[in-house]
């Protein structure tokens, strides 16, 4: 897994910690601007978050739970990858002290036009 992130993002570090604990071995590439990375892998701005990862020929955008990445790699759907747009509270790397979490969806990014379908639902 290769992770692209800015040097200043703390929640990205939190997400990398989740991935490492789940058995992944992330390699970190810090860049000032992730827009070219997202463009290269077909992630539209409207579906973006604060970091982008690449694994097994798929793009993983944002705070995607490790279990969803494992499922993606196991099922191998015909798609570009997964995205959790934005930065939902309670998602991996976005935890808050009181433990609350908002409901969020992991989306299967089907193609470069931005078509998606719900891959998994998480949170309250």
């Amino acid at each position: 897994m290769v992770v692209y992130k800015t040097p200043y993002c703390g929640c990205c570090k939190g997400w990398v910690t989740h991935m490492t604990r789940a058995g992944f071995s992330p390699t970190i590439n810090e860049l000032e601007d992730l827009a070219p990375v997202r463009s290269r892998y077909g992630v539209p701005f409207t579906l973006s978050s604060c970091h982008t990862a690449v694994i097994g020929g798929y793009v993983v955008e944002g705070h995607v739970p490790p279990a969803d990445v494992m499922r993606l790699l196991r099922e191998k759907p015909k798609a570009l990858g997964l995205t959790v747009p934005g930065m939902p509270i309670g998602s991996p790397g976005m935890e808050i002290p009181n433990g609350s979490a908002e409901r969020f969806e992991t989306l299967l990014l089907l193609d470069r036009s931005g078509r998606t379908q719900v891959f998994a639902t998480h949170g309250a």
Side-chain angles (χ1 to χ4, degrees):
M1 172 179 282
V2 177
V3 179
Y4 299 92
K5 62 182 260 341
T6 66
Y8 318 105
C9 187
C11 65
C12 297
K13 291 178 188 174
W15 184 78
V16 167
T17 298
H18 279 275
M19 298 308 289
T20 302
R21 288 181 182 156
F24 294 95
S25 300
T27 300
I28 310 301
N29 285 329
E30 292 188 339
L31 305 169
E32 292 292 326
D33 182 10
L34 298 181
V37 173
R38 291 187 187 108
S39 177
R40 180 174 45 200
Y41 292 106
V43 179
F45 176 77
T46 56
L47 298 175
S48 67
S49 183
C50 57
H51 56 269
T52 305
V54 179
I55 185 170
Y58 292 104
V59 64
V60 177
E61 177 70 20
H63 295 271
V64 176
D68 292 353
V69 177
M70 288 181 211
R71 179 180 156 205
L72 175 77
L73 296 173
R74 185 175 61 251
E75 294 180 2
K76 296 180 178 31
K78 184 175 175 152
L80 295 179
L82 299 175
T83 180
V84 172
M87 299 166 66
I89 294 173
S91 61
M94 288 296 298
E95 296 87 356
I96 58 175
N98 71 8
S100 66
E102 57 189 17
R103 185 172 195 251
F104 70 94
E105 295 175 334
T106 299
L107 302 175
L108 185 65
L109 180 58
L110 297 171
D111 58 32
R112 288 184 171 271
S113 73
R115 286 187 320 124
T116 62
Q117 68 185 43
V118 175
F119 188 77
T121 302
H122 304 279

